[in-house]
Amino acid sequence: MKTIYTILLFAAAAAAQASPYIPSSGTQVVETLPRRGDPVQQELRRLRSQLDADPNDLALAATLAQRYIALGRSETDPRYLGYAQAALTPWWNKASPPPQVRLLRATLLQSTHQFNPALDDLKAVLAADPTNAQAWLTQATVQTVQGDYSSATASCARLSRLSTQLTTITCVANIGTVTGRALKSEQLLDLTLERSANAPADMQLWSLTLLAEMAQRRDDHVLAEARYKRALALAPRDSYLLGAYADFLLERQRPREVLAMLNDQTRIDALLLRRALALQQTNDQRALAADIKELAARFDAAMQRGDTVHQREQARFELKLRRDPATALTLAQKNWAVQKEPADIRIYLEAALQARDGAKPVLDWVAANHTEDAAAARLIARLKTGT
């Protein structure tokens, strides 16, 4: 089973609609295009040609969209999400498209943080087919991001009879890690993964990434790094994993490793942000200025489009690179209204600390859900003592 294991962090138009980039010389490489001889690209062109000849071929359109979504993640290339949506054009705006289209549309909608429309599609899919494991898993993921933990738990529970033990335990652990059961969830997931050596690579990737984040949140840096490296061996270009490991390296003051890892991965705004933060740590002012200018153009273009996908990243940009805590806090507050993951907690607390705000909504949330995160705990302590 192909699992879409996290909310995608990029939207297809983000880079394309930013300010034009003018290379400094005619010899500078602007883009590396897929090789025409690449078997994957040849197969995609063949499928696309068939779909062009018959745009209403539902099975072919769904297959092509699935391939594009998977390739967008594995190649860290957001344009493939746009290609996936284009493949679904005849059904995209229909109120009740076929279930396979609704599931794919939900996946693409969540990539732009349109969580409620995505949930509407998922509920319709599950009403038509309550045995659709992928729909339950995707719904649980969206509900967890929104902080609706009781509904997410119920969605995960439905997987126990429909999918593998590793899928179910990873789904449940993803909730437990932010609701006061972090260590027990980590231990159970680690044991389940050890017993699931034959699980699909994408399932192992999700589990390993989550386990790395769990260890990182309790300050076990050695174990966290070992898990990140195991995950990278499975998917060296996965955009979410690259961002998470980059954050780990930045926390450990290892910016040169971040620069080497993200050298050709900056099409994604979140990864360009992390490269800029690494440049800041190396004090490379010239390269940093160029990245800040590019990020500002991308975020400005997104705001003009009404695109709120990158508010967490933009808050971090304003706080750490532009040193504007007031603007960062406003963005963090808007982001908090949409999603409530550990990274959302931390950027809100960091901005509140520098803006001298009490961060009451986040403090109340952490207390009510017994959220365990060593970095967040340190920020909370500083907020309470005013240091």
Side-chain angles (χ1 to χ4, degrees):
M1 178 186 69
K2 290 289 184 182
T3 57
I4 298 171
Y5 69 93
T6 188
I7 303 298
L8 297 175
L9 297 179
F10 46 80
Q17 296 188 30
S19 296
Y21 172 68
I22 301 174
S24 57
S25 75
T27 62
Q28 187 169 345
V29 176
V30 178
E31 183 67 74
T32 301
L33 298 175
R35 291 174 297 173
R36 292 191 64 83
D38 184 335
V40 173
Q41 294 297 328
Q42 288 179 339
E43 175 66 6
L44 286 173
R45 285 196 297 273
R46 184 184 67 79
L47 293 173
R48 181 72 252 186
S49 178
Q50 290 179 359
L51 188 62
D52 287 343
D54 186 3
N56 294 304
D57 186 331
L58 176 60
L60 179 59
T63 296
L64 184 58
Q66 288 171 337
R67 294 285 298 275
Y68 278 140
I69 290 169
L71 194 58
R73 186 178 70 221
S74 66
E75 293 298 314
T76 319
D77 191 337
R79 294 174 299 185
Y80 287 111
L81 298 184
Y83 302 157
Q85 180 174 336
L88 302 174
T89 296
W91 308 275
W92 184 261
N93 291 317
K94 289 188 175 181
S96 299
Q100 58 265 55
V101 172
R102 293 196 92 144
L103 182 54
L104 290 165
R105 186 168 69 180
T107 300
L108 292 166
L109 286 171
Q110 69 176 348
S111 76
T112 54
H113 292 193
Q114 298 180 69
F115 296 138
N116 290 332
L119 286 173
D120 288 342
D121 273 341
L122 291 166
K123 289 174 182 176
V125 170
L126 291 167
D129 179 14
T131 66
N132 192 315
Q134 180 63 72
W136 285 115
L137 180 59
T138 307
Q139 179 171 273
T141 304
V142 175
Q143 290 165 334
T144 303
V145 170
Q146 290 186 312
D148 185 359
Y149 300 130
S150 60
S151 296
T153 301
S155 295
C156 290
R158 298 298 293 265
L159 288 170
S160 61
R161 294 188 298 273
L162 302 173
S163 191
T164 65
Q165 184 183 37
L166 182 59
T167 301
T168 304
I169 295 301
T170 307
C171 186
V172 172
N174 196 31
I175 302 164
T177 191
V178 291
T179 54
R181 303 184 302 279
L183 185 57
K184 289 183 178 179
S185 297
E186 182 180 345
Q187 291 170 339
L188 178 59
L189 179 56
D190 190 30
L191 179 62
T192 305
L193 180 59
E194 285 184 13
R195 295 172 174 174
S196 307
N198 295 323
D202 58 351
M203 192 65 241
Q204 293 187 52
L205 176 63
W206 179 26
S207 303
L208 271 171
T209 304
L210 180 56
L211 282 167
E213 291 175 315
M214 287 173 159
Q216 182 179 352
R217 286 199 286 269
R218 58 181 179 80
D219 280 348
D220 190 336
H221 304 126
V222 173
L223 182 57
E225 180 155 20
R227 288 169 171 172
Y228 276 128
K229 287 183 175 179
R230 284 177 61 192
L232 284 164
L234 291 173
R237 293 177 62 85
D238 184 273
S239 58
Y240 180 86
L241 175 58
L242 288 170
Y245 187 47
D247 285 341
F248 172 84
L249 293 172
L250 290 167
E251 287 177 9
R252 307 301 298 158
Q253 297 293 309
R254 292 158 59 183
R256 298 196 183 283
E257 292 173 64
V258 175
L259 294 175
M261 182 174 67
L262 301 184
N263 182 50
D264 60 346
Q265 304 292 335
T266 54
R267 186 181 291 115
I268 306 298
D269 295 354
L271 299 184
L272 177 60
L273 172 65
R274 286 158 173 86
R275 186 178 76 173
L277 292 169
L279 290 169
Q280 186 180 56
Q281 287 188 8
T282 64
N283 201 31
D284 186 341
Q285 295 300 319
R286 182 175 179 180
L288 175 60
D291 277 5
I292 289 176
K293 182 178 180 181
E294 175 65 18
L295 281 165
R298 293 190 191 186
F299 288 137
D300 287 347
M303 292 179 68
Q304 290 173 16
R305 297 192 303 271
D307 179 354
T308 61
V309 171
H310 305 290
Q311 285 180 331
R312 180 168 73 199
E313 285 74 24
Q314 190 174 1
R316 201 169 166 189
F317 170 71
E318 294 291 347
L319 183 67
K320 296 181 179 295
L321 296 176
R322 279 185 162 174
R323 304 191 186 283
D324 183 349
T327 299
L329 180 59
T330 297
L331 288 162
Q333 289 167 335
K334 291 179 179 179
N335 175 67
W336 184 253
V338 178
Q339 57 182 33
K340 296 173 174 61
E341 294 185 287
D344 304 307
I345 291 174
R346 288 194 295 274
I347 187 57
Y348 196 131
L349 292 173
E350 286 182 297
L353 184 64
Q354 292 193 35
R356 300 187 180 279
D357 180 276
K360 188 176 186 302
V362 173
L363 295 182
D364 290 347
W365 181 270
V366 169
N369 291 286
H370 309 287
T371 305
E372 302 164 86
D373 185 323
R378 288 190 287 270
L379 290 167
I380 290 170
R382 291 179 61 191
L383 273 169
K384 289 181 176 179
T385 59
T387 59

